[in-house]
Every structure is written in structure tokens, then in C-alpha cells.
């Protein structure tokens, strides 16, 4: 197939990025139609964990289609039961009811609707508001866009979005309070109580946040005190705590779930990407059994059923992915390779445009600035992050863009989140290509 034909038949390819026809994938590599390979240093959108193109998964998919190609999600399938058991092993024991859908946005919608329905059943009908956090992303549907804070994704839809009050983010590099951790009072966490009181606690159903922020902020890791304060505040006002583990779930940050770093159990955890290592559309939420009890007591149905919820093919594929993750000890590997990646990225700190390097495990990010002292971002017209990404792509390594921008539309960071099977040599290749690219771009700026 010619590239022109690809362009004609793709709906809205990324402007400025030449469409590349990917013919095959294997391990950490994408192969184009000429056989040239690209190292996928972000696992697609921080999604691929066990590596690409694995035969065992293909075999599980074939078997699933032959055995049970489809059933309405009110029926059980063996793959769904097995998958539920495997997923529960990765979650805190309290989150013992698992619901499946197809993508992260759907999972977050499900969580919010569950929270609302729970309060209605509990006789608290006045609770309908969801609070979220600045610098977050929860999906592309109108409700999840309303909760999220990625300006470029929201801009054209603003009149259609709900008003969702947002608390300050734990963005320590640019602290919204102008303070430095550990000298601060974790004011960003205390902001939740302020917002709940402003809105009226009797109106607030839930607070949603990512354990470690992915592309909306670029690997923002909260201080250890953050989530314990959030949990206490939610408990004080009967507000459900929803954590969006769409990126962090199933090992990305070196632990089963992102929240494991903070010793706090949420009321609902949503998941997607890593659940199936992006082999099939599979997402969901895990809910505290103490909350679903109320539905059982009142014989109430959770009003959120999709044709493709718990699809037998997706469940079988995800079940095999989870089996591989466990059998090959890949979460421990994510922790080990994550340390390695973190160490090697720190070697780039000396470069003039590298402002901040952050993240955890295999969820890392670099923020670029034109002045390290003032942290002044590059002008928007430079389109720096996309320049970095396309230049690296032409050199055979793919990184994912981050979306933080200031009120002048400036802000550049990239995500580095490779599959857990990446080797140290492949990490060296990624970091080497990135260094070379940054040095070339810097030389261009220095030459004026
Ligand atoms: C933290 C987070 N939540 C939710 C989503 C939405 O997931 P999906 O694209 O599967 O709808 C994403 C996607 O990147 C994400 O990063």
C-alpha cells in the first residue's frame, strides 16, 4: 500500500506527523512497511506492558472466538471469571467487586455514575457533584473531559462541558502556592476540604484523581502525605474517593497499582490500558464491596451496561496478558527497569533545556524550559515538544507528548513509558537518541 493511499483513508491523521504504515509489531518495536523499526518508548499511550505481538495472546484470542464469540454481559464466561480473580489479586482486598467495559473514559464514567447511584440509594439525593484536580486527564467523553484539565482537548467543547470544581495539583516543580516541599503544609491536599466546603458537602458525591499524574502533568508524583490527607478529607465528608488507575494500574509504576505507593485504599479504582497491555479494548472499575452491598440490599441495578462490557474476546486476551505478567514477574521487572530508566534520564539533567525529570517506575517524563533559573517555557510558536518527538521518531524512537500548558499555551514535556520487557540496552538507545536530538535542537537555538 502506498503512503498516499494510507493518508486518503485515515480519519484525521495527526497534523505535521507523516502517516507511517506499521506492518508488524514485536517486543518493543514497530516495523514499517519497508521493514525499518521504531522503538516504542512510550508503549503507545503508556499502555503496552508485556510487549507487542506475543503468540500466546494471539492463541488465547483465537480460542476465545471459537469457544464463546459473544454473550450479553449479564452472562458469565470462564475467561471473565479467571480475569476477575487475577485482577482482584492485584488490588487491595477491600476492592472486591469488578466491573468491565472497553476503555478508560468509559471506566471513569462508570465510576462517577456508580458514585451518584450509591448516594441516591443511601438516601443522599442531593449529592451529584464530582470534584477533580487541575492538571488531570480522565478521558475524551464529555463528562470525562469536563473533569479533566487538558486545555487543548477541552477548548472547542467548552460550552458543552459540565462545571467541575478542581482542586490544586501537586505540581511541586511549579508549586501553585509558591512553596517548596518538604517545607510546605501540603496545601494542595488541604485544598480539597476548602473546595468541598465551598460547594457544600451535602452536594458532593466524589473526588477523582490519578495516583501519579500521567500525560496531563507529566509523571507528577505526590508527596507521601498527600493521599492520606485526601482519604481523611473524603471520609470526613462522606465523599467517595475514585482513583483513576488507567495508566498506573497493573505495574506501570513498579507496584501492582499506583495507589500502593501511598498506603491508601480508595473507594473505587478504575483501570484500562495495562489490564490487557492494549491487546484488546478492556477496562473497568473495582469497587469496595461495602458499597455494592447497598445495591444488593435494595435489589438495585447499576445503570451502566454496554454491548461490549466484559466482551469475551477482551476478557480472554486480558486474562492471558495477566497470566504472562504474573508468570514472568513483569511488575518486579517494571520496578527494576524503571529505576534504571530514571537513573539514565537523570544524566540528561545537565542539558540546558531540561527543566525537570520526574515520574516513577516506567512512567517518566521530562519537562523542557528555555531558562532553567526562571523555568520560563519555550514560546508556543517553537512547538518544541512535537519537534523533539518527530525528530526522535525519524531516528527510530517514539516518545509520547505530554499536555501541560500555561495560560499562554506554552509548555513542553514528553512521556517515556516503555513496555516492561525493555532491556537496559534498549533504554540506552532511547536516552541516546533523546540526548542527540536535544543537543541538535539546542545547537540550533544557540546559533540563533
Ligand atoms: C489517566 C487516564 N485516564 C483515562 C484515560 C482515558 O482512557 P481511554 O483513552 O482508554 O478512554 C487516559 C488515556 O490516556 C488516561 O491517561
Amino acid at each position: 500500500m502506498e503512503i498516499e493511499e494510507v493518508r486518503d483513508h485515515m480519519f484525521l491523521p495527526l497534523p505535521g506527523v507523516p502517516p507511517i504504515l506499521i506492518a508488524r509489531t514485536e517486543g518493543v518495536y514497530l516495523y514499517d512497511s519497508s521493514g525499518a523499526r521504531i522503538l516504542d518508548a512510550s508503549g503507545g499511550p503508556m499502555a503496552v506492558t508485556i510487549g507487542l505481538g506475543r503468540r500466546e495472546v494471539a492463541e488465547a484470542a483465537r480460542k476465545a472466538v471459537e469457544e464463546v464469540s459473544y454473550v450479553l454481559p449479564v452472562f458469565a464466561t470462564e475467561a471473565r471469571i479467571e480475569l476477575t480473580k487475577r485482577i482482584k489479586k492485584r488490588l487491595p482486598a477491600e476492592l472486591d467487586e469488578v466491573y468491565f467495559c472497553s476503555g478508560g473514559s468509559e471506566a471513569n464514567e462508570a465510576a462517577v455514575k456508580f458514585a451518584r447511584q450509591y448516594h441516591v440509594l443511601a438516601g443522599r439525593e442531593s449529592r451529584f457533584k464530582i470534584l477533580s484536580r487541575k492538571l488531570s486527564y480522565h478521558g475524551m467523553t464529555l463528562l470525562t473531559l469536563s473533569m479533566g484539565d487538558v486545555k487543548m482537548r477541552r477548548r472547542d467543547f467548552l460550552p458543552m462541558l459540565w462545571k467541575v470544581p478542581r482542586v490544586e495539583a501537586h505540581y511541586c516543580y511549579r508549586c501553585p502556592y509558591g512553596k517548596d516541599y518538604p517545607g510546605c503544609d501540603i496545601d494542595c491536599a488541604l485544598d480539597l476540604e476548602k473546595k468541598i466546603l465551598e460547594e457544600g458537602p451535602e452536594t458532593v458525591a466524589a473526588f477523582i484523581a490519578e495516583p501519579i499524574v500521567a500525560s496531563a502533568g507529566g509523571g507528577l508524583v505526590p508527596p507521601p502525605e498527600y493521599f492520606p490527607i485526601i482519604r481523611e478529607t473524603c471520609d470526613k465528608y462522606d465523599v467517595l474517593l475514585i482513583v483513576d488507575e488507567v495508566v498506573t494500574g497493573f505495574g506501570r509504576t513498579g507496584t501492582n497499582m499506583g495507589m500502593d505507593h501511598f498506603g491508601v485504599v480508595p473507594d473505587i479504582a478504575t483501570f484500562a490500558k495495562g489490564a490487557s497491555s492494549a491487546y484488546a479494548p478492556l477496562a473497568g472499575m473495582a469497587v469496595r464491596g461495602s458499597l455494592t452491598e447497598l445495591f444488593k440490599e435494595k435489589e438495585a441495578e447499576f445503570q451502566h451496561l454496554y454491548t461490549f462490557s466484559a466482551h469475551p474476546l477482551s476478557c480472554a486476551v486480558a486474562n492471558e496478558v495477566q497470566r504472562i505478567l504474573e508468570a514472568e514477574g513483569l511488575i518486579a521487572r517494571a520496578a527494576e527497569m524503571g529505576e534504571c530508566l530514571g537513573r539514565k534520564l537523570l544524566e540528561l539533567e545537565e542539558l540546558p533545556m531540561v527543566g525537570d525529570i520526574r515520574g516513577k517506575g516506567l512512567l517518566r517524563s521530562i519537562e523542557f524550559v528555555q531558562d532553567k533559573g526562571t523555568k520560563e517555557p519555550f514560546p508556543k510558536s517553537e512547538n518544541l515538544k512535537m519537534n523533539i518527538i518527530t525528530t526522535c521518531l525519524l531516528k527510530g524512537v517514539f516518545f509520547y507528548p505530554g499536555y501541560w500548558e500555561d495560560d499562554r499555551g506554552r509548555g513542553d514535556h514528553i512521556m517515556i513509558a516503555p513496555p516492561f520487557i525493555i532491556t537496559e540496552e534498549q533504554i540506552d538507545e532511547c536516552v541516546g537518541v533523546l540526548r542527540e536530538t536535544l543537543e541538535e535542537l539546542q545547537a540550533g537555538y544557540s546559533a540563533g
Side-chain angles (χ1 to χ4, degrees):
M1 194 181 278
E2 294 300 318
I3 209 69
E4 281 313 313
E5 207 183 331
V6 177
R7 203 191 304 265
D8 289 349
H9 291 89
M10 268 175 76
F11 176 60
L12 294 180
L14 275 180
V17 179
I20 298 175
L21 177 58
I22 302 300
R24 192 168 71 81
T25 58
E26 190 182 330
V28 297
Y29 294 107
L30 318 175
Y31 292 86
D32 77 6
S33 45
S34 73
R37 68 181 197 185
I38 298 166
L39 199 165
D40 186 356
S42 65
M46 306 158 287
V48 178
T49 61
I50 65 165
L52 297 155
R54 296 193 59 154
R55 288 198 182 283
E56 311 94 297
V57 184
E59 180 52 29
R62 187 194 59 75
K63 197 161 163 274
V65 174
E66 278 177 9
E67 286 176 0
V68 183
S69 60
Y70 179 77
V71 285
L72 194 70
V74 296
F75 294 103
T77 60
E78 244 176 62
R80 178 177 178 178
I81 291 168
E82 279 306 302
L83 174 64
T84 304
K85 281 194 219 154
R86 288 206 156 97
I87 281 182
K88 278 166 70 165
K89 274 204 246 161
R90 299 278 172 215
L91 288 159
E94 293 89 333
L95 302 185
D96 53 359
E97 299 258 342
V98 181
Y99 165 94
F100 292 117
C101 53
S102 307
S105 310
E106 276 183 13
N108 286 329
E109 289 256 359
V112 166
K113 285 177 69 183
F114 179 90
R116 163 67 184 161
Q117 230 187 318
Y118 166 77
H119 284 299
V120 171
L121 290 176
R124 296 189 284 262
E125 293 227 10
S126 61
R127 291 186 182 251
F128 67 96
K129 291 181 189 166
I130 306 298
L131 305 193
S132 66
R133 199 169 55 192
K134 293 183 184 172
L135 287 185
S136 63
Y137 179 68
H138 301 295
M140 287 285 188
T141 60
L142 289 173
L143 172 60
T144 54
L145 267 185
S146 302
M147 300 190 300
D149 189 30
V150 174
K151 294 187 181 63
M152 67 171 256
R153 298 282 188 226
R154 291 166 47 90
R155 204 162 280 139
D156 291 349
F157 306 99
L158 284 173
M160 303 168 77
L161 302 181
W162 278 268
K163 183 181 160 289
V164 173
R166 288 197 195 81
V167 305
E168 289 296 346
H170 48 80
Y171 189 8
C172 298
Y173 181 62
R174 298 177 191 275
C175 174
Y177 300 93
K179 296 186 177 178
D180 285 314
Y181 180 79
C184 68
D185 299 317
I186 326 287
D187 307 66
C188 49
L190 300 179
D191 196 35
L192 177 60
E193 180 163 23
K194 281 193 202 140
K195 287 284 181 308
I196 292 175
L197 291 173
E198 265 170 45
E199 293 299 320
E202 72 290 352
T203 66
V204 182
F207 170 63
I208 184 166
E210 294 158 78
I212 293 174
V213 181
S215 55
L220 302 179
V221 183
E225 300 88 339
Y226 181 86
F227 272 111
I229 296 174
I230 295 289
R231 178 73 272 183
E232 209 181 301
T233 308
C234 286
D235 288 344
K236 184 168 167 190
Y237 295 102
D238 265 333
V239 168
L240 297 189
L241 173 58
I242 304 172
V243 297
D244 175 342
E245 296 261 15
V246 165
V247 169
T248 48
F250 307 104
R252 171 63 53 199
T253 63
T255 47
N256 286 333
M257 307 306 278
M259 282 304 275
D260 296 354
H261 294 291
F262 310 111
V264 163
V265 179
D267 298 303
I268 305 173
T270 60
F271 55 83
K273 305 181 189 261
S276 70
S277 186
Y279 275 84
L282 187 283
M285 64 171 174
V287 182
R288 273 184 195 258
S290 56
L291 304 184
T292 52
E293 249 342 282
L294 194 56
F295 283 70
K296 288 173 193 158
E297 243 173 71
K298 306 234 167 182
E299 294 186 2
E301 185 187 342
F302 174 42
Q303 292 300 333
H304 198 73
L305 181 72
Y306 294 108
T307 304
F308 295 141
S309 294
H311 192 280
L313 174 60
S314 296
C315 285
V317 162
N319 186 39
E320 181 60 13
V321 166
Q322 292 295 327
R323 188 197 64 74
I324 292 172
L325 202 70
E326 190 174 326
E328 299 182 5
L330 290 179
I331 295 184
R333 186 182 170 90
E336 189 193 333
M337 297 321 285
E339 285 298 310
C340 171
L341 176 63
R343 241 185 0 259
K344 292 188 186 236
L345 287 176
L346 274 183
E347 291 167 13
L348 302 178
E349 207 172 23
E350 63 188 25
L351 300 178
M353 64 170 76
V354 172
D356 195 26
I357 302 174
R358 51 187 183 243
K360 193 131 198 119
L362 286 174
L363 182 64
R364 302 274 171 176
S365 177
I366 302 184
E367 179 172 336
F368 303 98
V369 289
Q370 61 172 325
D371 184 318
K372 275 187 198 261
T374 62
K375 302 180 183 173
E376 178 87 359
F378 280 85
K380 186 176 161 67
S381 55
E382 291 294 336
N383 205 9
L384 178 71
K385 79 178 168 209
M386 288 319 289
N387 276 345
I388 295 172
I389 287 171
T390 43
T391 310
C392 289
L393 183 57
L394 293 172
K395 293 173 190 283
V397 179
F398 179 68
F399 296 103
Y400 191 77
Y403 296 110
W404 172 75
E405 57 181 84
D406 69 4
D407 48 12
R408 289 159 63 186
R410 305 173 308 168
D412 297 286
H413 66 259
I414 60 165
M415 304 303 300
I416 307 112
F420 305 171
I421 55 156
I422 195 163
T423 63
E424 188 165 346
E425 293 69 37
Q426 288 162 338
I427 288 177
D428 284 336
E429 187 182 339
C430 298
V431 178
V433 162
L434 189 52
R435 173 183 280 278
E436 193 181 286
T437 299
L438 297 179
E439 284 174 349
E440 280 167 20
L441 290 170
Q442 186 67 51
Y445 287 123
S446 307

